[in-house]
Amino acid sequence: MAESAVRIGLVLPDVLGTYGDSGNAVVLRQRLRWRGVPADVVAIHYGDPVPDCLDVYLLGGGEDEAQALAAGHLREHPGLRRAAARGAVVFGVCAGLQVLGTSFVSGDGKRHEGLGLLDVDTAPGRRRAVGEIVADSGAGPLTGFENHLGVTTVGPGSSPLGRVRTGTGNGDGTDGAVTGHVLATYLHGPALARNPALADLLIGWVTGSPPPDLPLPEVDELRRERLRAARRGARR
Amino acid sequence: MPLDSPVQAERRARTAPPRRTRVAVALARAAAAVSRGTGAGAGGVVGGRIAAALDPDVVRHLGRDRTVVLVTGTNGKTTTASMLTRVLEPLGPVAANRDGANMPDGLIAALVDRPDAPFAVLEVDENYVADVAQRLRPACLVLLNLSRDQLDRVGEVRAVERGLRAAVAGLPGTAVVANCDDPLATSAAMASARPVWVSAGGSWTADALACGRCGRPIQHDGPAWRCRCGLARPRPDWVLAGDRAVDSAGRTAPLALQLPGRANAANAAMAVAAAALLGVDPAAAGARLATITEVAGRYRRTTLAGHPVRVLLAKNPAGWRETLPLLGDRSPVVIAVNGREADGRDLSWLWDVPFEVLRGRPVVAAGERSADLAVRLTYAGVPHVRCADPVRAVAGLPPGPVELVANYTAFRQLGQRSGDG
Ligand SMILES: [Zn+2]
């Protein structure tokens, strides 16, 4: 698969793009290119049909109305669902996690249908979870920042991505959800920049085998610093 | 349509504030003087806190019988307020929070400091506008722009817009000067009974793509924009055209600014429109702006570790997009980023800044969160070195001019170290 470029879909950055989420596309593209695999980012805008031929789909965060619009658009244009059905990699953060689930309830109490790619349901919690989050996962400790009101319940059709050490995540001690090649987390924004093992897990799914090591001392340094800060209780 | 000519404002009978307020003000002034005298820092805010504790309604009493202008928005508050202050000064003393302390304690301190000033020009944090305006009943509210800034602290930008919209709706006597090229600012100002629209140029559209009213993406067509829900760009009363601001009656204010960049021209156009509303001749207002060379230490040229350094403030993606084009062609750039409460602890925004354009020049990642910046620069393909201390970062560069760009608290730390806080 190395001869043709990996195509990374940035899904609805104009409605789901609140927190620097496009960073995840930059990280995946660079980690592929640095290993000699050509990669391109394709932005899919609101109002446009969603192609079903891409290798990776990335969904970012967004506010309530934006999230409902995104879910509506992705239900109406079934490209993402079709791609997921044939095994394409899908990664969502924050609102992206909720949109990929079965359903979510917005702040005004309205229930919205999600894409059903993950067996999760989300309802508003009592207080906003804001701050550094650390969760232990199969890809090692994940570090990130969360900022959401949602409380997410993972059903039998998905498994949680990680177990929360610091922070809130899904709200029951777990964070995120995985079904097949669909993976999502409450670690928002450029989660893959802080968690290279997670980025490489997704890349391995795309290319069919785990990618070779890619030493980046800057990333190691940032991870050390953030994990240390979380231990010190640097949540606000 | 001048609201209340400056002369009238000055001649208006000045009723004495209640005794409680007089006592609060006297004690606050004393506290501020002591705090300044002992070098304990910005004495004003301490005084403001004391005055507020002694008289909960102190803001209303202090604002009475003055012509008050409030300036708010994500970026450009300090600069625009400083411009308006400069324009109004020939008419009489102006109470102003020049230090950028834009929460209630800072505003009280500014009013306490100049109790007799007939004018007050106050920059206000977006989240305090409703409360402050309710008490001060300003003649004019300047609404510059709205984009994301410190999401973890102040909440989402569209929630801020909804709050401002409600505040504006409750101020029937206040003229609202707003940038009609900014859909979120427009959505808020549209609630005003007396809007004045300034075409000051679009801000960073990525944030405003989702409509403040319905969440759908805004559709742009040249300068015009509209949403399917009906919200659309109103016809401007003022237009920024190159280095001049022109109103619909053809009045022109030349803007021969010393401050660099498109964002400052936009701030100037907003200031001129507000000043004209208060009865100032636009051309005279424009001429006054040419005398400003720095704003609260921003854009100042100084010497640091033997290098000529220009100091710039950029605290969010929109600010960075305005700052990047200002940087000299080849000079090294030191970027200082902190992540304190006042900066926002979430550094995700670094990924919304197109740092890729810095490729090909020496870059130093500095500040308390230089590790986050270093990762962003690595993925942007920008070779860099890391040195947490910005002054040492400058010292480590070869001789020659340096551009130093810092976010909020990193910028303030620099000011304290060069002794002009
Ligand atoms: Zn709309």
Side-chain angles (χ1 to χ4, degrees):
Chain A
M1 122 151 271
E3 70 282 0
S4 66
V6 171
R7 300 182 74 203
I8 303 162
L10 187 55
V11 180
L12 306 180
D14 43 358
V15 280
L16 289 181
T18 313
Y19 299 103
D21 314 286
S22 63
N24 290 323
V26 173
V27 169
L28 282 184
R29 186 185 61 196
Q30 290 302 87
R31 295 184 77 81
L32 283 158
R33 286 183 179 174
W34 283 333
R35 288 156 165 146
V37 182
D40 294 309
V41 175
V42 180
I44 304 156
H45 294 287
Y46 184 82
D48 292 344
V50 180
D52 60 9
C53 57
L54 306 181
D55 301 297
V56 186
Y57 293 80
L58 301 175
L59 285 78
E63 301 172 37
D64 271 358
E65 293 95 332
Q67 186 178 331
L69 282 171
H73 186 84
L74 295 174
R75 282 200 313 271
E76 194 183 316
H77 298 90
L80 174 55
R81 271 172 163 167
R82 254 189 247 136
R86 64 160 171 77
V89 174
V90 182
F91 177 61
V93 301
C94 203
L97 160 67
Q98 302 179 8
V99 167
L100 291 171
T102 318
S103 73
F104 56 91
V105 176
S106 45
D108 56 6
K110 233 164 101 184
R111 183 173 207 87
H112 303 267
E113 198 189 322
L115 299 184
L117 298 179
L118 292 172
D119 184 9
V120 302
D121 291 289
T122 302
R126 237 171 304 155
R127 45 186 305 206
R128 225 176 157 74
V130 184
E132 293 281 335
I133 171 170
V134 178
D136 292 305
S137 78
L142 304 174
T143 152
F145 200 94
E146 62 181 333
N147 182 352
H148 62 98
L149 189 63
V151 170
T152 295
T153 311
V154 181
S158 290
S159 345
L161 170 64
R163 183 146 288 283
V164 173
R165 217 195 278 170
T166 311
T168 303
N170 293 340
D172 62 354
T174 67
D175 175 68
V178 193
T179 299
H181 287 176
V182 181
L183 185 152
T185 173
Y186 271 116
L187 277 59
H188 79 195
L192 300 182
R194 277 206 203 177
N195 299 288
L198 192 57
D200 286 352
L201 176 71
L202 303 182
I203 287 174
W205 287 349
V206 175
T207 59
S209 58
D213 268 0
L214 181 67
L216 289 177
E218 293 89 347
V219 176
D220 298 340
E221 180 63 31
L222 174 61
R223 282 180 61 77
R224 268 197 298 277
E225 193 182 293
R226 290 293 94 210
L227 289 168
R228 209 163 46 222
R231 266 200 304 278
R232 279 200 320 262
R235 286 178 70 77
R236 34 187 322 222
Chain B
M1 38 156 193
L3 292 177
D4 188 6
S5 92
V7 182
Q8 279 170 332
E10 265 191 298
R11 282 187 191 152
R12 221 189 307 166
R14 303 186 60 77
T15 48
R19 184 182 144 70
R20 185 189 187 132
T21 304
R22 291 202 308 270
V23 171
V25 167
L27 286 173
R29 288 175 67 86
V34 168
S35 171
R36 269 193 292 266
T38 56
V45 175
V46 175
R49 216 162 284 160
I50 290 173
L54 292 169
D55 178 4
D57 212 14
V58 71
V59 174
R60 190 170 65 83
H61 292 135
L62 284 170
R64 223 159 53 177
D65 301 328
R66 308 198 208 220
T67 300
V68 176
V69 182
L70 301 182
V71 179
T72 196
T74 309
N75 285 305
K77 290 187 283 284
T78 307
T79 303
T80 307
S82 157
M83 287 173 165
L84 254 172
T85 302
R86 186 66 63 96
V87 167
L88 294 177
E89 269 165 351
L91 307 175
V94 181
N97 50 343
R98 286 163 226 266
D99 54 355
N102 59 19
M103 300 200 197
D105 290 343
L107 307 188
I108 293 168
L111 294 169
V112 163
D113 193 45
R114 303 298 300 269
D116 298 321
F119 297 99
V121 175
L122 302 169
E123 69 158 282
V124 189
D125 182 281
E126 303 86 282
N127 293 282
Y128 291 95
V129 170
D131 182 53
V132 166
Q134 198 59 30
R135 293 166 197 271
L136 282 176
R137 297 275 151 192
C140 175
L141 168 68
V142 180
L143 178 47
L144 296 166
N145 47 57
L146 288 174
S147 70
R148 84 187 70 159
D149 181 24
Q150 309 173 18
L151 280 164
D152 60 309
R153 188 168 71 89
V154 300
E156 293 160 329
V157 58
R158 293 175 57 237
V160 173
E161 186 274 317
R162 282 192 291 274
L164 276 172
R165 199 195 309 164
V168 163
L171 298 168
T174 299
V176 177
V177 177
N179 182 357
C180 62
D181 295 330
D182 183 312
L184 281 176
T186 302
S187 176
M190 204 72 101
S192 169
R194 308 181 57 194
V196 174
W197 302 111
V198 184
S199 169
S203 68
W204 179 46
T205 51
D207 276 318
L209 275 171
C211 169
R213 304 287 171 111
C214 72
R216 288 195 196 90
I218 297 279
Q219 288 147 12
H220 290 263
D221 177 15
W225 55 262
R226 62 173 50 256
C227 178
R228 274 187 265 172
C229 71
L231 185 73
R233 178 180 184 260
R235 210 169 50 195
D237 301 296
W238 284 89
V239 175
L240 171 65
D243 58 357
R244 56 192 54 232
V246 185
D247 81 350
S248 48
R251 288 189 299 173
T252 296
L255 309 169
L257 300 181
Q258 296 199 50
L259 298 181
R262 205 200 56 81
N264 282 324
N267 295 335
M270 300 292 290
V272 165
L277 209 61
L278 301 177
V280 179
D281 171 58
R288 292 282 298 165
L289 299 182
T291 61
I292 301 175
T293 56
E294 63 169 68
V295 176
R298 303 168 196 185
Y299 313 104
R300 77 176 184 272
R301 290 173 195 279
T302 180
T303 303
L304 223 50
H307 293 69
V309 175
R310 179 164 63 154
V311 187
L312 298 155
L313 172 81
K315 50 191 171 85
N316 51 38
W320 263 103
R321 279 173 197 253
E322 303 290 0
T323 300
L324 283 169
L326 303 182
L327 302 178
D329 275 348
R330 298 192 166 274
S331 345
V333 180
V334 174
I335 303 169
V337 174
N338 285 0
R340 297 187 177 210
E341 188 69 30
D343 303 302
R345 298 200 186 278
D346 181 9
L347 277 277
S348 299
W349 61 270
L350 288 173
W351 292 82
D352 289 322
V353 179
F355 285 113
E356 286 81 0
V357 303
L358 295 178
R359 278 178 205 158
R361 64 159 96 211
V363 174
V364 186
E368 293 164 357
R369 294 297 291 270
S370 57
D372 296 74
L373 179 61
V375 168
R376 172 70 188 101
L377 293 171
T378 299
Y379 277 106
V382 177
H384 59 277
V385 293
R386 194 178 150 208
C387 174
D389 181 336
V391 177
R392 283 181 52 197
V394 172
L397 289 165
V402 174
E403 306 272 22
L404 172 48
V405 191
N407 72 341
Y408 186 64
T409 66
F411 181 88
R412 289 187 56 140
Q413 288 165 346
L414 281 169
Q416 280 152 14
R417 288 175 63 174
S418 55
D420 58 1

